[in-house]
Structures are given as C-alpha cells and as structure tokens.
C-alpha cells in the first residue's frame, strides 16, 4: 500500500543550492578561468615569439646568402658612371652613400636574352638597415636609378675590409698611397674581403671571401 510523503520530507528533497554554495562555485569557476586564460596567453605569446625568431632567422640566412653570392663572384671589370668617368671594378670612395660598389658575374639569364652576365651592385648602411643596390646595366646612362632591396634591419654596424697583395687589411679600396698608377688600380682586386655585421639581437656575424 503506497505511503504518503510528508510535506517536510518533500521540501527537503527539492532543496536547491544556497547562496553561499553558489558564491563558492562562482569563485572556483573564476579561478579556473583565470588559470586557463593565463595558460592560453602564455602559449600564444610563445607562438608569436617563435614566429618572430623564425622570420628573423630566415631574413639573416637569405641576406648572408645574397652577400656571399655577390662577393664570391666579383670580377675585375671597370665601368663608366653617368658622366662618362671610369670607375674601378671595386670601389669604396666613388659614392659617399655607398659602403662599397663593384662588378660581379653570374647574372642569371633563363630566357637567353642578348645581355651581359655581369651586373653592378652596391651596398648601403642606412638607418640601421643594410640595403643592396643593383643597376640595370654596367655603364650607367644619365638618370639611371638602381633597384634597392632591404636585406637586414636592426643593425648596429657594418664593417668591410680588404686584404691587399702585401697581406695587409685596408679600410678603403683601391688602397690609398700605394704609388700605383690609376690604370693599374682600376681593375685591381683584393686577395680577400671581410664583411662584419653587428646585429642588435644576434651579435656579430663575420664572413671572409677569398677572391679568385
């Protein structure tokens, strides 16, 4: 025979959470949410830092590859500037804005066009940035502008030295006060070229290129 449930017993069975219990549950949930957000923020920060480091590494590797290709293919071919004056194959003093300017070989020509395999390039250090310049032809006509490509930023300094035939490092090329005639220095090449890049975040990168 079914028994009737007393009103007091029914009331106790249906009792919900108290205000204190809800408050405690809310606090626990908030703490867990803060911990979860902190962990997610840390993961996102590490991911962004890794992406920046990888992008910086790729920039440096690509830039060093370009620099190495340029200096390793230097050729003793003098050029004429826009005024018709002969400029040395390798020069550090013909333009105050350029660190160095020289002629290099190995210009790609996949379409087999009627053009030279040589190209004239230069490097500038401007506003903590290393910039590469390339002219469309060796002997420049008046008004000819070079194509500029930014290689590395966040640079503290750039230093280039040249090893002469007496095994002495020179800061300029052609060397000054050598007693050689201008015609002899026009196509003179150093024995080696040293390039030192000092980066604010990576420190010093040094490369030495032996000339053929």
């Amino acid at each position: 025979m079914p028994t009737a449930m007393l009103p007091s017993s029914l009331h106790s069975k249906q009792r919900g959470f108290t205000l204190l219990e809800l408050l405690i549950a809310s606090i626990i949930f908030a703490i867990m949410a803060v911990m979860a957000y902190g962990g997610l923020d840390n993961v996102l920060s590490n991911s962004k830092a890794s992406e920046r480091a990888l992008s910086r590494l790729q920039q440096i590797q690509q830039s060093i590859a370009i620099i190495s290709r340029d200096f390793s293919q230097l050729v003793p071919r003098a050029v004429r500037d826009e005024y018709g004056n002969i400029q040395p194959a390798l020069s550090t003093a013909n333009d105050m804005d350029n660190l160095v300017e020289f002629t290099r070989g190995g210009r790609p020509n996949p379409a087999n066009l009627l053009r030279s395999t040589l190209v004239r390039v230069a490097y500038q250090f401007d506003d903590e940035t290393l910039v590469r310049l390339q002219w469309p032809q060796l002997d420049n006509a008046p008004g000819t502008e070079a194509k500029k490509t930014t290689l590395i930023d966040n640079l503290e300094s750039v230093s280039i030295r040249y090893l002469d035939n007496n095994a002495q490092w020179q800061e300029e090329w052609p060397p000054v006060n050598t007693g050689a005639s201008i015609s002899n220095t026009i196509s003179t090449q150093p024995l080696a070229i040293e390039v030192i890049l000092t980066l604010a975040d990576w420190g010093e990168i040094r490369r030495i290129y032996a000339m053929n």
Side-chain angles (χ1 to χ4, degrees):
M1 179 178 181
T3 58
M5 185 175 293
L6 297 176
S8 59
S9 177
L10 180 62
H11 179 74
S12 62
K13 292 282 186 181
Q14 296 178 348
R15 185 175 60 88
F17 295 105
T18 64
L19 181 60
L20 179 60
E21 290 172 336
L22 290 174
L23 182 60
I24 294 175
S26 300
I27 294 174
I28 294 175
F29 178 80
I31 293 175
M32 294 179 64
V34 170
M35 293 176 61
Y37 178 80
L40 178 61
D41 184 65
N42 187 44
V43 170
L44 294 176
S45 298
N46 291 337
S47 178
K48 291 180 180 179
S50 299
E51 290 178 359
R52 289 193 297 268
L54 179 59
S55 177
R56 180 64 166 170
L57 176 61
Q58 291 175 342
Q59 181 193 53
I60 294 173
Q61 288 179 331
Q62 293 173 358
S63 300
I64 294 299
I66 293 173
I67 294 171
S68 299
R69 185 168 62 246
D70 281 344
F71 283 101
S72 298
Q73 300 187 76
L74 191 148
V75 295
R77 202 285 199 182
V79 299
R80 290 185 180 274
D81 61 19
E82 58 183 356
Y83 304 106
N85 301 319
I86 297 178
Q87 300 296 334
L90 171 66
S91 175
T92 62
N94 63 329
D95 191 330
M96 296 298 295
D97 294 329
N98 296 339
L99 291 170
V100 61
E101 181 179 327
F102 56 91
T103 305
R104 54 148 289 192
R107 182 183 184 184
N109 189 10
N112 294 321
L113 302 177
L114 295 177
R115 69 183 187 191
S116 173
T117 59
L118 305 180
V119 65
R120 191 72 173 179
V121 301
Y123 283 88
Q124 290 180 350
F125 179 51
D126 182 31
D127 193 21
E128 299 182 350
T129 301
L130 184 64
V131 180
R132 180 183 185 271
L133 293 83
Q134 178 175 320
W135 282 266
Q137 62 273 336
L138 292 177
D139 300 316
N140 291 324
T144 302
E145 294 186 359
K147 175 185 177 182
K148 293 186 177 183
T149 303
T150 299
L151 296 183
I152 308 178
D153 54 12
N154 202 18
L155 272 174
E156 292 184 349
S157 65
V158 180
S159 175
I160 304 178
R161 300 194 303 169
Y162 311 88
L163 188 66
D164 63 19
N165 292 328
N166 297 320
Q168 299 293 324
W169 287 106
Q170 303 291 337
E171 301 295 330
E172 297 182 0
W173 198 269
V176 295
N177 301 326
T178 60
S181 63
I182 296 178
S183 60
N184 289 335
T185 60
I186 287 294
S187 299
T188 300
Q189 289 192 131
L191 298 179
I193 298 177
E194 180 188 61
V195 179
I196 303 175
L197 306 176
T198 305
L199 288 73
D201 51 350
W202 278 57
E204 184 180 285
I205 298 177
R206 183 188 303 261
R207 293 291 185 271
I208 297 179
Y209 306 101
M211 301 294 101
N212 296 327

